[in-house]
């Protein structure tokens, strides 16, 4: 078992990482929740695999009900949000009841947004089941849904009361989803934890310790920048170019981040910011996890990128890694891009 605390200005919460935790969640929930009623939100895939286990482990201590939605990103939308709220209201949810988000990042983001808005805020606990949600999206309090073809455009910051991670659930994840999560996990190593990164060269089984190490990287930036105003943007390493190719070529997000990291490393090397050795090491690790390492020339994307939302007053903040396990925020203007790179 590993434990981590997220300490923010106005709140703090515990993350428990434990194999087999799903069979034993009541004791942790009782630490932070004193009422009886619990509503679980899950998707139809996770329902089949884990809902009964979770209900069984809660039912001696709590009165449990649930709402199931279809799996997939399409469910992170206004109509599913409305459906969930309606079901919860019909089931007579009160503002001092608890929501449990049982599933991947989609369930986490949607449940968090319901928790942020219903009755202007009710408590929720995350039980992330995909690799991406365990090592990334379940902490930090960013919640929301997609709208008007824009991802995460409606949302709120709402921290969970606790996060309960059972790495055993990763055994049922299909390989592409698993590798998708690895894209972001490798990114955490690249920007903030060299030991974690280098350990991946042996392709270890993803266990409590690796999830813990990956979360420490996110914890560090979330604690200094809860509302995503500065340091938290370092989590976007690989995302500037990643976003540009994700939709164009139909990659999954973590796959696009894999390619985007390599593009950002090339650019960093050209600017003299990034150490040459970074490219080979990260490429090797990405290949071990069957992530794409196709070379796209970053220069072909600089113009697109410049007009992306990150363009603040004529400059772009690029995230580079000077060395393995270190990040830096590098401000660059359009004129400099033309002079130094094109
Ligand atoms: N809030 C944040 O900080 C943050 C950060 C990164 C990503 N996200 C969001 O997270 C979402 C992606 O998360 P995701 O990759 O977990 O997607 P997801 O929730 O769609 O899960 C991926 C698939 O795996 C299935 N699944 C989940 N757990 C499983 C298990 N243990 N066994 C078998 N199947 C399982 C799901 O049913 C789904 O089909 C995106 O919407 C993204 O915007 C949020
Ligand atoms: Zn990402």
């Amino acid at each position: 078992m590993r434990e981590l605390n997220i300490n923010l200005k106005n709140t703090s919460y515990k993350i428990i990482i434990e194999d087999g935790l799903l069979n034993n969640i009541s004791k942790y929930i009782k630490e932070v929740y004193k009422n009886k009623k619990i509503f679980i939100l899950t998707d139809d895939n996770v329902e089949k695999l884990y809902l009964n286990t979770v209900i069984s482990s809660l039912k001696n201590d709590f009165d449990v009900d649930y709402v199931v939605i279809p799996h997939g990103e399409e469910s992170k939308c206004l109509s599913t949000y409305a459906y969930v709220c309606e079901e919860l209201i019909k089931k007579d949810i009160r503002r001092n009841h608890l929501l449990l988000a049982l599933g991947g990042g989609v369930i986490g983001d949607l449940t968090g947004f319901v928790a942020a808005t219903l009755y202007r805020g009710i408590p929720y606990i995350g039980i992330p089941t995909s690799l991406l949600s365990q090592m990334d999206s379940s902490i930090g309090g960013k919640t929301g849904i997609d709208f008007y073809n824009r991802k995460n455009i409606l949302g709120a910051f709402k921290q969970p009361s606790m996060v309960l991670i059972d790495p055993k659930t990763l055994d049922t994840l299909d390989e592409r989803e698993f590798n998708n999560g690895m894209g972001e996990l490798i990114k955490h190593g690249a920007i903030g934890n060299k030991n974690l990164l280098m350990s991946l060269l042996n392709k270890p089984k993803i266990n409590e310790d690796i999830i813990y190490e990956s979360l420490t990287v996110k914890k560090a930036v979330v604690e200094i920048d809860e509302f995503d105003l500065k340091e938290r943007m370092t989590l976007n390493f690989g995302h500037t170019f990643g976003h540009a190719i994700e939709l164009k070529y139909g990659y999954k997000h973590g796959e696009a981040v894999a390619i985007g990291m390599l593009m950002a490393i090339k650019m960093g090397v050209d600017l003299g910011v990034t150490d040459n050795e970074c490219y080979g090491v990260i490429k090797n690790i990405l290949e071990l996890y069957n992530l794409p390492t196709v070379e796209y020339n970053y220069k072909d994307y600089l113009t697109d990128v410049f007009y992306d939302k990150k363009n603040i007053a004529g400059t772009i903040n690029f995230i580079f890694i000077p060395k393995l396990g270190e990040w830096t925020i590098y401000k660059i203007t359009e004129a400099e891009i033309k002079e130094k790179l094109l």
Side-chain angles (χ1 to χ4, degrees):
M1 195 267 258
R2 302 295 306 259
E3 191 179 321
L4 202 65
N5 272 291
I6 305 293
N7 300 309
L8 302 167
K9 218 171 184 179
N10 295 315
T11 182
S12 68
Y13 54 97
K14 225 189 233 182
I15 303 167
I16 309 286
I17 311 162
E18 187 179 327
D19 279 332
L21 178 71
L22 283 196
N23 299 300
N24 191 22
I25 55 179
S26 261
K27 77 164 185 209
Y28 293 116
I29 293 182
K30 276 196 279 187
E31 287 177 19
V32 290
Y33 183 60
K34 305 297 176 202
N35 282 330
K36 279 279 161 219
K37 189 83 198 176
I38 288 183
F39 294 90
I40 301 170
L41 232 81
T42 193
D43 73 25
D44 54 349
N45 284 340
V46 179
E47 173 198 17
K48 290 185 200 96
L49 294 163
Y50 301 113
L51 183 61
N52 283 339
T53 310
V54 170
I55 292 178
S56 303
S57 74
L58 289 170
K59 67 174 190 249
N60 288 336
D61 298 301
F62 299 100
D63 177 9
V64 185
D65 205 340
Y66 58 89
V67 179
V68 180
I69 61 167
H71 67 275
E73 183 72 26
E74 301 73 39
S75 281
K76 243 177 78 172
C77 67
L78 205 52
S79 57
T80 310
Y81 166 80
Y83 168 78
V84 169
C85 290
E86 198 175 318
E87 288 300 300
L88 292 171
I89 293 165
K90 280 186 197 154
K91 290 172 187 291
D92 202 23
I93 190 168
R94 306 293 168 86
R95 61 184 301 185
N96 56 1
H97 290 163
L98 177 72
L99 286 178
L100 290 190
L102 175 66
V106 166
I107 286 293
D109 282 11
L110 179 67
T111 307
F113 190 50
V114 172
T117 47
L118 197 59
Y119 295 115
R120 295 194 192 87
I122 57 179
Y124 80 107
I125 286 180
I127 310 181
T129 59
S130 66
L131 179 57
L132 185 124
S133 56
Q134 294 189 352
M135 49 61 61
D136 185 354
S137 67
S138 63
I139 75 162
K142 277 194 189 177
T143 76
I145 57 175
D146 308 331
F147 183 65
Y148 202 63
N149 274 326
R150 315 242 172 128
K151 257 183 80 76
N152 304 323
I153 189 114
L154 300 178
F157 285 95
K158 167 81 178 171
Q159 302 293 340
S161 307
M162 183 177 254
V163 180
L164 299 172
I165 298 176
D166 183 347
K168 278 240 170 294
T169 61
L170 301 178
D171 294 345
T172 54
L173 211 58
D174 82 47
E175 201 194 334
R176 195 167 173 204
E177 285 302 344
F178 181 84
N179 293 338
N180 182 46
M182 281 308 299
E184 300 272 12
L185 199 150
I186 294 164
K187 178 201 74 184
H188 278 176
I191 59 170
N193 191 330
K194 188 174 178 188
N195 287 342
L196 167 66
L197 187 75
M198 299 316 266
S199 75
L200 298 175
L201 283 165
N202 301 318
K203 209 177 176 192
K205 184 168 166 51
I206 301 304
N207 57 17
E208 295 175 358
D209 294 334
I210 291 178
I211 293 170
Y212 174 91
E213 290 299 327
S214 178
L215 285 173
T216 58
V217 176
K218 183 145 180 187
K219 167 186 156 78
V221 286
V222 165
E223 285 182 346
I224 47 178
D225 181 19
E226 179 178 357
F227 297 109
D228 201 8
L229 299 169
K230 187 170 177 220
E231 288 83 355
R232 202 162 163 169
M233 78 168 77
T234 57
L235 298 170
N236 282 336
F237 175 58
H239 284 60
T240 310
F241 294 118
H243 285 146
I245 59 161
E246 185 170 343
L247 288 181
K248 189 167 173 198
Y249 297 103
Y251 286 114
K252 277 191 163 293
H253 179 70
E255 296 168 345
V257 169
I259 295 173
M261 286 193 282
L262 293 178
M263 292 166 84
I265 290 172
K266 283 246 148 126
M267 180 170 166
V269 170
D270 286 353
L271 286 169
V273 182
T274 298
D275 190 333
N276 240 330
E277 71 150 356
C278 297
Y279 192 88
V281 173
I282 293 192
K283 186 166 185 232
N284 279 348
I285 297 171
L286 295 172
E287 280 168 353
L288 281 176
Y289 291 94
N290 285 329
L291 285 159
T293 54
V294 194
E295 274 195 35
Y296 296 96
N297 189 344
Y298 74 86
K299 293 182 182 174
D300 296 341
Y301 293 86
L302 280 175
T303 317
D304 288 0
V305 159
F306 209 83
Y307 293 100
D308 190 13
K309 62 177 179 331
K310 288 167 203 76
N311 180 357
I312 302 162
T315 62
I316 294 196
N317 288 317
F318 270 99
I319 315 304
F320 293 121
I321 50 169
K323 294 190 176 125
L324 296 170
E326 288 176 22
W327 56 262
T328 186
I329 300 174
Y330 187 95
K331 271 193 200 311
I332 190 163
T333 62
E334 193 173 10
E336 272 178 275
I337 287 181
K338 283 192 178 133
E339 182 196 317
K340 294 186 181 160
L341 299 172
L342 295 178

